[in-house]
């Protein structure tokens, strides 16, 4: 296989060099928080970014694992070296600042503005977020329901699908071989054709993982076409598919193999226009999925929707900007080839931003949501940014959030209940941002959250079924986080720390998490190192909170530029062979190795 790659490389050409920079943007331009390009220092929300350089050089194959490795505020339930699975044993449960709930329904995942979730269950699809198909990522940490609606109660992760607008042509081929019979092959291609950009990608991975009956196989791919600008409007279409099979042997205390066969697709059509006085954006999208599990359950689901956004900038040079939009989503599907389920949601939102002085900006906004099953609901947010000049920026934010009950919680199963209430939450945050000497950035935040009507299961006094969905009383938690980034010409260092005080640990998350990332490039050699320290990691076991052993895990990789466009790479996961668990009963693998060869053609 490596000989094939070398042959393809020689046919494509060899008079090129790899795009491989360690440069870091300390005050990057953010789109997700306001749906309009804005400097991070001018956004009231706490937002983190993963650049395309970081993604290209990452050790992990899945973008969620890359986020977990680099940000202490993000935690991810994981039981395998590769593959999260789906269904009753599905992992990849995302929490932001300790909030995410179980199943995976508190964090909204978007791809090119498309809500990337299952129509019946309302959760994202963790195995489909392959790094090969993603150009960059942005993460809102904290409630974003005013801008994005249901499921954004804990935050938002938005992916931009793969293409290379910065290059006339880009082609990348990579083959890798790793422990536990792991094979992975990926291909990326992007080319400017006139004023259009055509991009595509494909990713194949198979592995036995380290436990018996623990196999995982995925085939995934997609395209993106960026059309020529017409009358100031940018048009694009993006699509992807993922087909994967997984096998889960179960926890050590209850071995019982569970398997799944999953097929997912997503399609987005987008229009953007941004000029000095206004901006417009339109997204039309579709999700589709087929699922078959070894317990006999099968389902087909769909999501169709449209989102329209507009913004008036600096109206009459008063410092006032207004933005707003409307969205409509139709979700549904069928289970076990029987009854069809569906629901629809219509929402309107309006936001205002005003620069009162050179130092003070204020923002307020609200969103009204009408769900055919949950009736109407209103959420809001208000915030301010005060610039202290050389001393940085102080940010204040208060926001409410919500999540509508999903079809599986209200209608799909015997444990479902049509009397469930909307989950509600409140988020309060004090943040600080500053950069020094163009090579140091510091971000910190104190946050407090409380909520009610959390949907969970409880024992059914009128069994069967033994448990039913119900609303829980209030929950609350608070915490602090720090993020320090430092970079020089040939290396960068990132240190991230989060501490949580939580009254209800419903997802696997540590009370204290430290994430350290070091990237260095000297001549032809690049070294990447990631370390995670988790203190008092919690895990849920049949509704009982369990505190697992602390752990410290380090991953390291090294790249060497063999020729102008061929790079070899060795990666070691769990360098010190640490024994640890993230989910109770599922031991994580010890030290593993992977060798890769990559060709990049510009």
């Amino acid at each position: 296989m490596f000989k094939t790659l070398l042959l393809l490389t020689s046919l494509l050409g060899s008079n090129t060099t790899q795009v491989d920079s360690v440069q870091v943007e300390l005050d990057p331009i953010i789109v997700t928080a306001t749906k309009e390009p804005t400097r991070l220092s001018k956004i009231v929300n706490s937002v983190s970014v993963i650049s395309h350089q970081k993604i290209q050089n990452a050790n992990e194959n899945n973008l969620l694992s890359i986020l977990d490795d680099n940000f202490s505020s993000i935690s991810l339930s994981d039981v395998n070296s590769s593959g999260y699975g789906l269904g009753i044993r599905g992992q990849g449960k995302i929490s932001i600042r300790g909030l995410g709930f179980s199943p995976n329904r508190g964090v909204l995942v978007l791809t090119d503005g498309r809500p990337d979730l299952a129509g019946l269950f309302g959760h994202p699809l963790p195995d489909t977020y392959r790094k090969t198909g993603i150009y960059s990522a942005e993460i809102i940490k904290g409630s974003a329901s005013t801008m994005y609606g249901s499921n954004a109660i804990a935050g938002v992760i938005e992916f931009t699908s793969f293409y290379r607008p910065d290059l006339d042509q880009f082609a990348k081929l990579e083959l890798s071989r790793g422990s536990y019979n792991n094979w992975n092959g990926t291909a990326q291609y992007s080319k400017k054709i006139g004023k259009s950009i055509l991009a595509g990608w494909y990713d194949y991975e198979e592995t036995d993982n380290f436990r018996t009956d623990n196999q995982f196989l995925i085939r995934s791919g997609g395209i993106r076409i960026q059309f020529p600008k017409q009358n100031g409007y940018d048009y694009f279409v993006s699509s992807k598919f993922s087909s994967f099979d997984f096998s889960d042997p179960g926890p050590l205390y209850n071995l019982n193999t569970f398997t799944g066969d999953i097929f997912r697709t997503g399609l987005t059509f987008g229009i953007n226009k941004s000029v000095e006085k206004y901006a417009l954006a339109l997204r039309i999208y579709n999700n589709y999925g087929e699922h078959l599990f070894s317990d006999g359950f099968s389902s087909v689901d769909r999501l169709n929707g449209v989102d329209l956004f507009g913004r008036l900038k600096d109206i009459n040079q008063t410092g006032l900007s207004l933005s707003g939009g409307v969205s409509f989503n139709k979700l549904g599907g069928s289970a076990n080839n029987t009854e069809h389920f569906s629901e629809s949601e219509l929402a309107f939102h309006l936001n205002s931003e005003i620069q009162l002085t050179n130092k003070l900006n204020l923002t307020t906004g609200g969103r009204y949501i009408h769900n055919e099953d949950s009736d109407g609901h209103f959420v809001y947010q208000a915030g301010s940014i005060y610039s202290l000049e050389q001393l940085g920026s102080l940010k204040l934010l208060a926001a409410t959030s919500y999540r509508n009950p999903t079809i599986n919680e209200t209608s799909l199963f015997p444990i479902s209940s049509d009397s469930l209430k909307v989950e509600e939450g409140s988020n309060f945050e004090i943040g600080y941002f500053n950069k020094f000497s163009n090579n140091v950035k510091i971000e910190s935040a104190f946050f407090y959250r409380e909520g009610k009507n959390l949907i969970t299961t409880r024992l059914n006094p009128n069994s069967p079924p033994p448990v039913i969905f119900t609303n829980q009383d209030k929950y609350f938690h608070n915490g602090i986080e720090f993020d320090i980034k430092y970079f020089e010409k040939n290396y960068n260092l990132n240190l991230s720390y989060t501490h949580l005080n939580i009254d209800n640990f419903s997802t696997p998350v540590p009370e204290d998490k430290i994430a350290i990332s070091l990237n260095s490039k000297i001549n032809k050699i690049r070294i990447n190192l990631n370390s995670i320290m988790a203190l008092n990691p919690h895990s849920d076991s049949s509704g009982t909170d369990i505190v697992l052993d602390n752990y410290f895990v380090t991953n390291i990789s090294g790249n060497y530029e063999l020729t102008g466009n061929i790079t070899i790479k060795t990666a070691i996961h769990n360098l010190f062979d640490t024994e640890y668990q993230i989910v109770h009963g599922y031991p994580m693998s010890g030290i593993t190795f992977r060798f890769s060869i990559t060709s990049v053609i510009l």
Side-chain angles (χ1 to χ4, degrees), residues 41 43-44 359-361 383-389 391-397 429-434 444-446:
S41 58
I43 295 175
V44 70
K359 294 184 177 182
L360 180 63
N361 289 53
S384 66
I385 303 174
Y386 186 77
S387 175
L388 305 172
E389 296 180 349
L391 297 179
S393 299
L394 184 66
K395 304 181 180 185
L396 304 176
L397 176 66
E429 181 177 335
I430 301 174
Y432 174 76
F433 174 93
N434 201 3
S444 63
F446 167 80

Side-chain angles (χ1 to χ4, degrees), residues 280-293:
L280 295 171
L282 172 69
R283 298 291 184 270
I284 302 173
Y285 44 82
N286 166 267
N287 293 340
Y288 175 81
E290 299 178 1
H291 318 93
L292 177 63
F293 300 102

Side-chain angles (χ1 to χ4, degrees), residues 363-376:
T363 178
T364 59
R367 184 184 189 94
Y368 177 77
I369 312 98
H370 179 79
N371 184 286
E372 65 175 300
D373 293 328
S374 305
D375 296 325

